[in-house]
Amino acid sequence: SGRVVDLYLLARYCYRVGADIMNDSDYAMIEDYVKENNLCPDAVNRSYDDDPVPVSLLEEFNLNHLMFDPSNYYSRYDSFLEDEKTISIKAIETYIDTYNYFMSTKDKDKVMSPKVNGVNCKSLYTRESEDNEDKLTFKIAKSRGRSGEGFNFTNNLLRIVPSELDLDLNNLYLYGECVTLSSAIGKIVSPSGTAPTVERMAAMSMLRTNYKDEDYKYLKYKIFSCQGLSDSLSESLNILKSKGLDVVPHLYIKSSEVPSDFNEFCAWMKDKFDYFYNILQEEGYPTDGVVVDVDDLNYTGSVKSQYSDKNVALKFEYWSHKYYIGTVSDIEFNQCGYMCSVTAIIEPTITSD
């Protein structure tokens, strides 16, 4: 049973970093065995992102290249990208709540952009370079890590971003989502021979492992914010675009153009949704809403619970959730150390999809 647990933990980790070592049916069989025999409840009841890195297993199976940061070369740049306190983006699912948000921040200009459903990635350009002192040089790219453990995407992201930027800065921090175009599904194959079937997991796999050079035309780094360039988000995105970086499509919204009448606001907002939906149909990558950011990057906003009014995510119209009616037949609470999980058994209604 010990080796089964090792295989289960290794499979979870490899799935997390986009380097699957088994198919879904084999994984499901192993997970069922682990659950039925209560072999490692801590792992079963937590998310993949909270798993520790299984260093000894990676070394045993010669998978050192999948370590979260296998190279000491990048360690001196880690401090530049240390995780700040995470503030969640509040999801809004109705026009009236959207209207109330705009009215509560009516004196603020805003930027609207699609919420890309990809792999979160932060990166650094710095003037600290032994090769070229006159330009910013791309140094490091990492995932958003838990407990300081961000996965290193530097080498493969360098395949799709400029290695240098001509900007009068010492440091430039970029924040974006890596995503694979939908047109890549069915065309690209991982080094292990598996074909990714979901855009987000395809992006993770392409960042963590080495695909064919021609496959990277399908990988996009859609930048949605930066630090160190300008106090204005819209101006920053426009400058980055002019320098050859791939930024999210966006609209600059002056506070004076937002209708104060609710019915007019709804029609105005629907036009914005249509605009982004049509663009995204052409660009061909998955999104799960529209983000509204305050344009002033120095605006701290007010924080309630884990949410800030600096931005919100609009998740309705083209990005509405599907709701189903079901019956909860059983609820089970599990306390595992300092973590608690809740498992609910739901008997769903039969739907057409």
Side-chain angles (χ1 to χ4, degrees):
S1 62
R3 290 274 79 179
V4 173
V5 171
D6 288 344
L7 184 59
Y8 175 63
L9 295 175
L10 186 63
R12 284 172 61 96
Y13 178 83
C14 289
Y15 176 80
R16 175 187 175 188
V17 301
D20 294 355
I21 59 173
M22 65 180 66
N23 58 43
D24 290 345
S25 59
D26 288 342
Y27 177 81
M29 180 177 65
I30 292 175
E31 185 172 52
D32 288 343
Y33 178 84
V34 167
K35 288 180 178 179
E36 290 170 3
N37 293 277
N38 196 33
L39 295 180
C40 52
D42 283 352
V44 171
N45 294 312
R46 67 181 175 229
S47 71
Y48 296 120
D49 286 339
D50 290 325
D51 280 354
V53 178
V55 175
S56 61
L57 292 175
L58 292 172
E59 291 175 345
E60 178 183 351
F61 291 97
N62 295 319
L63 296 173
N64 293 282
H65 63 287
L66 295 181
M67 294 287 189
F68 70 92
D69 187 358
S71 173
N72 291 327
Y73 169 79
Y74 302 103
S75 60
R76 62 189 175 120
Y77 300 110
D78 281 348
S79 61
F80 287 94
L81 298 181
E82 287 180 351
D83 281 333
E84 66 281 357
K85 180 181 178 181
T86 299
I87 300 294
S88 302
I89 299 180
K90 182 178 180 180
I92 292 179
E93 300 184 2
T94 64
Y95 276 105
I96 185 61
D97 287 341
T98 304
Y99 174 77
N100 289 336
Y101 170 74
F102 271 84
M103 293 301 103
S104 67
T105 55
K106 61 183 179 181
D107 60 331
K108 302 296 182 184
D109 294 344
K110 298 179 177 66
V111 175
M112 295 180 66
S113 63
K115 188 175 185 297
V116 180
N117 186 15
V119 179
N120 188 272
C121 178
K122 53 189 179 180
S123 57
L124 168 72
Y125 282 85
T126 180
R127 192 169 298 283
E128 182 194 10
S129 171
E130 299 174 359
D131 301 321
N132 191 337
E133 293 294 338
D134 297 326
K135 293 182 179 181
L136 291 174
T137 304
F138 186 85
K139 286 297 182 183
I140 189 172
K142 296 180 70 175
S143 67
R144 177 185 293 169
R146 305 250 182 157
S147 303
E149 293 181 354
F151 291 91
N152 196 310
F153 299 151
T154 307
N155 289 336
N156 283 341
L157 201 64
L158 259 175
R159 298 183 185 221
I160 62 171
V161 301
S163 60
E164 296 177 337
L165 292 176
D166 188 9
L167 289 168
D168 188 18
L169 299 169
N170 288 325
N171 296 302
L172 175 64
Y173 305 86
L174 301 178
Y175 307 95
E177 295 278 331
C178 291
V179 67
T180 303
L181 297 179
S182 300
S183 57
I185 303 303
K187 297 178 182 177
I188 60 175
V189 178
S190 74
S192 62
T194 60
T197 58
V198 179
E199 294 92 342
R200 186 179 185 278
M201 288 308 299
M204 176 62 83
S205 182
M206 296 185 77
L207 289 165
R208 297 294 299 122
T209 58
N210 293 315
Y211 280 61
K212 296 177 181 177
D213 289 340
E214 58 266 28
D215 289 342
Y216 283 87
K217 65 185 178 184
Y218 296 111
L219 182 65
K220 305 296 178 183
Y221 183 31
K222 307 298 291 188
I223 298 166
F224 58 77
S225 186
C226 73
Q227 186 179 344
L229 188 57
S230 167
D231 293 336
S232 163
L233 175 57
S234 58
E235 182 180 355
S236 296
L237 292 176
N238 290 334
I239 294 174
L240 293 176
K241 184 177 181 179
S242 71
K243 296 298 180 179
L245 291 162
D246 194 1
V247 304
V248 291
H250 57 281
L251 290 173
Y252 175 62
I253 309 294
K254 290 189 66 66
S255 59
S256 58
E257 72 178 86
V258 180
S260 58
D261 177 79
F262 177 66
N263 291 327
E264 292 179 3
F265 174 84
C266 291
W268 175 82
M269 181 58 66
K270 180 61 167 61
D271 287 341
K272 302 297 182 286
F273 286 146
D274 291 343
Y275 170 80
F276 284 115
Y277 180 77
N278 291 331
I279 286 181
L280 294 170
Q281 290 297 103
E282 296 177 5
E283 295 201 2
Y285 50 85
T287 59
D288 56 359
V290 170
V291 175
V292 181
D293 286 286
V294 170
D295 184 58
D296 182 2
L297 291 174
N298 293 320
Y299 177 67
T300 56
S302 59
V303 178
K304 296 180 180 178
S305 184
Q306 76 269 37
Y307 301 118
S308 166
D309 65 0
K310 291 177 62 174
N311 50 29
V312 292
L314 309 181
K315 298 195 172 189
F316 56 101
E317 284 292 347
Y318 299 108
W319 300 274
S320 297
H321 293 294
K322 291 183 177 180
Y323 293 94
Y324 301 97
I325 297 174
T327 301
V328 177
S329 59
D330 189 29
I331 299 177
E332 178 182 324
F333 294 88
N334 293 301
Q335 184 70 43
C336 301
Y338 61 88
M339 294 183 292
C340 181
S341 68
V342 179
T343 302
I345 299 176
I346 302 174
E347 298 175 1
T349 56
I350 297 175
T351 65
S352 60
D353 58 353

